Amino acid sequence: MSYNVIRFIGGQIGRFALLMGAVAVVTFALVSLSPIDPVQANVGQAALLGMSEEKRAALAAYWGSDAPVTERFLAWAGALLQGDMGTSLRYNAPVAEVIASRAANSLALMGVAWVVSGALGFALGVAAALNEGRPVDRAVRAYCFVLAASPTFWVGLLLLMVFSVWLGWFPLGFSVPAGMAASEVTFADALHHMALPAITLSVVGVANVALHTRAKAIEVMGSDFARFARARGESRGRVMVRHGLRNLALPAITLQCTQVAEIFGGSVLVEEVFSYPGLGQAAVTAGLGGDVALLAAIALVSAALVFAGNLAANLVYGLVDPRMRPVRADVRGSEKGEGHDR
């Protein structure tokens, strides 16, 4: 393994560690500034008023809410480095178990939405570019502009009202049928409950990919090699298939990899709208209840997913275009320096 490869891997590890540290510090700082009292939020106002001062103090000491934020952060960070994420106040269970039980639902939902939005956005962008100025192009642009300006939760409520309440095609919420034992739930049941939340995330995530692909495709179709191919009698569709798609693949893949952050952010709202038990819904519950351990762990998981998406975009960029590989760039730079010295 060359020195440049080692330096690249070390740099990524360093950036990841700095990101995790910054996310942990910011999360704890924001929660400490929140007016939510964890004891009151988890016990209830009525029960808290009926408690004695000694009982309240005992609960605050048990949950650690009476300690300074710096002391709580250092204790949590030390336990995290040893593999202990703490205990969730809202769920009364280890944070690792809460995340593990909900991560599968969120990852499945985001994975389906990520693939569908990327494929559909790419297809719509190419179709709009091939029909520039025509009704198809205007319809695609109108669709993208409307969705780009529409809040995710509003789109989710609209689809829920139409397809679940009026038409009855999909369930109203949850990831499995209510009242059914876990052993009786089939894959078809889980897929049926996930369909409408995934559709919501997909249709919202289409806009950016479609508009960027359309702009790049129009640029490609106006290039010299495309005009030369058209002059030889090739149709616009054939030129796009033979010459255009390879030039569109790089920006489309890169943009789609960077969409992980938007997909995860949208899933928080979608899961809340559809009562879908995933990490997004758990984050909302933790925030409303002042559950700092669970909220910090979810923030770290989400930051890791975003970092992985951006890193994947950089790596894919290098695979598609060798000139953009960081290691090769370093090698070229050193070779130029040596040549200049000589």
Side-chain angles (χ1 to χ4, degrees):
M1 184 179 295
S2 66
Y3 169 74
N4 291 312
V5 174
I6 296 175
R7 189 173 66 174
F8 174 75
I9 296 175
Q12 296 302 318
I13 294 175
R15 292 188 183 95
F16 180 75
L18 290 175
L19 175 64
M20 294 293 101
V23 169
V25 171
V26 170
T27 302
F28 262 80
L30 292 177
V31 174
S32 66
L33 296 174
S34 173
I36 297 176
D37 180 12
V39 177
Q40 178 180 332
N42 291 279
V43 174
Q45 180 67 24
L48 187 65
L49 292 175
M51 289 183 182
S52 63
E53 292 296 333
E54 293 78 8
K55 183 65 174 179
R56 295 180 188 178
L59 283 176
Y62 177 74
W63 284 336
S65 59
D66 60 340
V69 62
T70 305
E71 181 180 336
R72 285 187 283 122
F73 173 76
L74 292 177
W76 174 81
L80 181 64
L81 293 176
Q82 298 177 6
D84 182 11
M85 293 184 175
T87 302
S88 171
L89 302 181
R90 297 292 284 179
Y91 295 95
N92 194 28
V95 170
E97 292 183 6
V98 176
I99 292 180
S101 63
R102 292 171 172 264
N105 290 335
S106 289
L107 291 178
L109 175 62
M110 290 187 292
V112 171
W114 186 78
V115 173
V116 173
S117 64
L120 184 59
F122 185 80
L124 289 178
V126 172
L130 290 176
N131 297 275
E132 183 182 4
R134 299 177 183 176
V136 173
D137 181 30
R138 291 195 292 269
V140 171
R141 283 187 293 163
Y143 166 78
C144 293
F145 291 147
V146 169
L147 285 181
S150 301
T152 305
F153 72 90
W154 181 83
V155 176
L157 289 173
L158 182 64
L159 295 180
L160 184 66
M161 182 174 60
V162 173
F163 294 102
S164 295
V165 178
W166 293 352
L167 299 177
W169 292 355
F170 299 99
L172 290 173
F174 307 107
S175 61
V176 296
M180 181 179 292
S183 59
E184 299 176 358
V185 177
T186 64
F187 178 75
D189 293 329
L191 192 62
H192 189 211
H193 280 73
M194 186 182 67
L196 197 55
I199 291 173
T200 303
L201 273 180
S202 299
V203 298
V204 173
V206 160
N208 287 336
V209 179
L211 292 176
H212 281 80
T213 302
R214 175 188 176 274
K216 183 63 177 178
I218 292 176
E219 178 184 342
V220 170
M221 294 301 294
S223 61
D224 293 338
F225 70 85
R227 289 199 298 266
F228 179 73
R230 290 279 293 154
R232 292 188 304 174
E234 296 187 21
S235 63
R236 289 177 61 87
R238 185 174 179 82
V239 172
M240 176 62 70
V241 172
R242 294 189 60 184
H243 308 287
L245 293 183
R246 70 182 67 178
N247 293 282
L248 298 177
L250 178 59
I253 293 173
T254 305
L255 179 63
Q256 186 62 11
C257 289
T258 58
Q259 286 256 108
V260 174
E262 297 184 13
I263 293 291
F264 187 88
S267 70
V268 175
L269 301 174
V270 168
E271 289 177 8
E272 190 66 19
V273 169
F274 291 94
S275 298
Y276 195 81
L279 292 178
Q281 189 187 52
V284 174
T285 302
L288 295 177
D291 192 348
V292 62
L294 179 58
L295 190 60
I298 294 176
L300 290 176
V301 171
S302 62
L305 289 176
V306 173
F307 181 86
N310 292 331
L311 179 60
N314 293 334
L315 294 178
V316 170
Y317 211 109
L319 290 175
V320 177
D321 188 352
R323 296 171 300 175
M324 301 304 298
R325 295 177 186 175
V327 175
R328 286 184 176 270
D330 294 338
V331 173
R332 289 199 306 270
S334 62
E335 289 177 352
K336 289 181 180 179
E338 292 175 0
H340 179 71
D341 294 338
R342 289 194 297 266

